[in-house]
Amino acid sequence: MEKKEKILVAVTILMVAILAACFYYDRNSALIHRTLPYKLPDDVKLVDIDKHGFLFYRVSYEAKYEINAYNPEEILTFFVQAYGDSGQMLSNSDYQTMSAYMFENYYSYVDLKPNPAPGSGVWMQEADLVDGHHVLNFIVLEPNEHAYLYVYYTR
């Protein structure tokens, strides 16, 4: 092999290694672990996540987790431990009014939106992190009788 071919092979191997490291760094569990100040319980299941930005620099994401519908207080204790605040309960009508404005103006890029069951309340928790990032959390009981935690993270 000539010197040019050796250099080409070495650069190709280096680029593949860098790309693999990027995908490993950007996997869902690593992103959540880096950005949330608490660890979610083991029984929580990630249903969907939508990431915005580049592999090494995510500017925001929205995530939907299925949680235990009979024990949502477990998540509230994580909010208190991480943020010092458990948030507040909104009535369905208050949530509908607030979310129409919020998802139209501030979170217009969001695809994952809570869909609370009629007559159910929505738990909302919002916090600014030490590094200047912002997290908005919703705990919702949806019409399919499943409870979900929605996490909206923004740099």
Side-chain angles (χ1 to χ4, degrees):
M1 252 196 311
E2 290 185 30
K3 186 176 181 179
K4 285 182 180 180
E5 291 172 336
K6 288 179 184 179
I7 291 173
L8 183 61
V9 169
V11 168
T12 302
I13 291 172
L14 180 65
M15 293 297 288
V16 168
I18 290 172
L19 187 60
C22 288
F23 282 113
Y24 182 77
Y25 182 79
D26 193 51
R27 69 191 193 287
N28 295 340
S29 60
L31 178 64
I32 299 297
H33 180 72
R34 280 194 314 274
T35 55
L36 291 183
Y38 56 88
K39 184 180 181 298
L40 290 168
D42 293 333
D43 63 340
V44 171
K45 179 186 169 200
L46 180 64
V47 176
D48 198 2
I49 189 167
D50 192 11
K51 305 174 203 175
H52 307 278
F54 299 102
L55 282 175
F56 267 105
Y57 188 78
R58 293 294 179 181
V59 292
S60 66
Y61 67 84
E62 63 242 29
K64 179 181 180 180
Y65 288 93
E66 184 173 0
I67 62 173
N68 184 351
Y70 301 106
N71 190 16
E73 294 84 13
E74 179 181 34
I75 303 296
L76 297 181
T77 60
F78 289 112
F79 291 166
V80 171
Q81 291 170 354
Y83 307 119
D85 175 33
S86 66
Q88 62 183 350
M89 177 63 91
L90 301 173
S91 69
N92 202 323
S93 62
D94 288 342
Y95 167 75
Q96 296 298 338
T97 303
M98 185 242 357
S99 69
Y101 178 77
M102 182 182 66
F103 285 120
E104 186 175 308
N105 295 308
Y106 297 109
Y107 292 93
S108 59
Y109 60 89
V110 168
D111 291 329
L112 301 175
K113 296 177 185 171
N115 179 25
S120 70
V122 174
W123 196 270
M124 181 180 111
Q125 194 282 331
E126 188 171 20
D128 290 319
L129 303 177
V130 178
D131 52 8
H133 302 176
H134 185 78
V135 177
L136 176 64
N137 299 292
F138 289 108
I139 296 178
V140 178
L141 180 65
E142 294 197 350
N144 60 5
E145 301 280 331
H146 292 268
Y148 295 99
L149 166 65
Y150 288 84
V151 179
Y152 300 95
Y153 172 86
T154 310
R155 284 188 185 251

